[in-house]
Amino acid sequence: MTITHVQLFSVPVSDQDRARDFYVGTLGFDLVNDVQMGPDMRWLQVSPPGAPTSITLVTWFESMPAGSTKGIVLETDDLVGEVERLTALGVATSPIEQQPWGTFVTFDDPDGNGIVLQETAMR
């Protein structure tokens, strides 16, 4: 097999500026690209700092309505600290849950796309 990694995936949003502000300003992602691709298409790409995989925040896929993505899993080394930081910024998270593999919370982006923030116990 020659596939080496997931380069990017798309998350459907209704307002790219609002989504950018959330992913970059609230979650702390880097803005990778923000370029106009035509009159009705904008390539807006974000990524966690140093991560090999990035996300495009898209509005143009009819088969992907805003808020329809669930199960975006983000990893952290300090779940409690990150939940405190996000809560202070107005993000409503679920209570912290403990599992044999680690701890996690869930929350939604402004469009309702579901995110899991986890701290894996053993990596």
Side-chain angles (χ1 to χ4, degrees):
M1 182 168 119
T2 61
I3 298 170
T4 61
H5 64 280
V6 174
Q7 180 182 8
L8 62 85
F9 63 93
S10 297
V11 172
V13 300
S14 60
D15 180 319
Q16 287 179 303
D17 289 327
R18 181 178 69 172
R20 179 204 56 220
D21 292 348
F22 179 77
Y23 283 86
V24 173
T26 302
L27 294 185
F29 284 24
D30 290 333
L31 180 62
V32 177
N33 279 303
D34 188 351
V35 295
Q36 200 66 36
M37 296 174 25
D40 298 321
M41 293 181 69
R42 176 175 162 202
W43 186 263
L44 181 54
Q45 183 178 356
V46 297
S47 175
T53 303
S54 59
I55 299 170
T56 54
L57 303 170
V58 300
T59 57
W60 59 83
F61 290 123
E62 287 184 28
S63 62
M64 294 173 60
S68 63
T69 299
K70 305 298 178 197
I72 301 167
V73 179
L74 306 175
E75 183 74 23
T76 180
D77 291 330
D78 180 10
L79 184 69
V80 171
E82 192 63 18
V83 168
E84 290 172 356
R85 186 186 75 78
L86 291 172
T87 300
L89 292 171
V91 177
T93 70
S94 68
I96 294 175
E97 293 189 42
Q98 180 72 45
Q99 295 294 324
W101 52 263
T103 55
F104 72 97
V105 297
T106 60
F107 60 92
D108 291 338
D109 76 3
D111 282 294
N113 292 298
I115 300 171
V116 177
L117 180 63
Q118 70 180 26
E119 181 176 355
T120 304
M122 302 172 73
R123 288 186 236 173

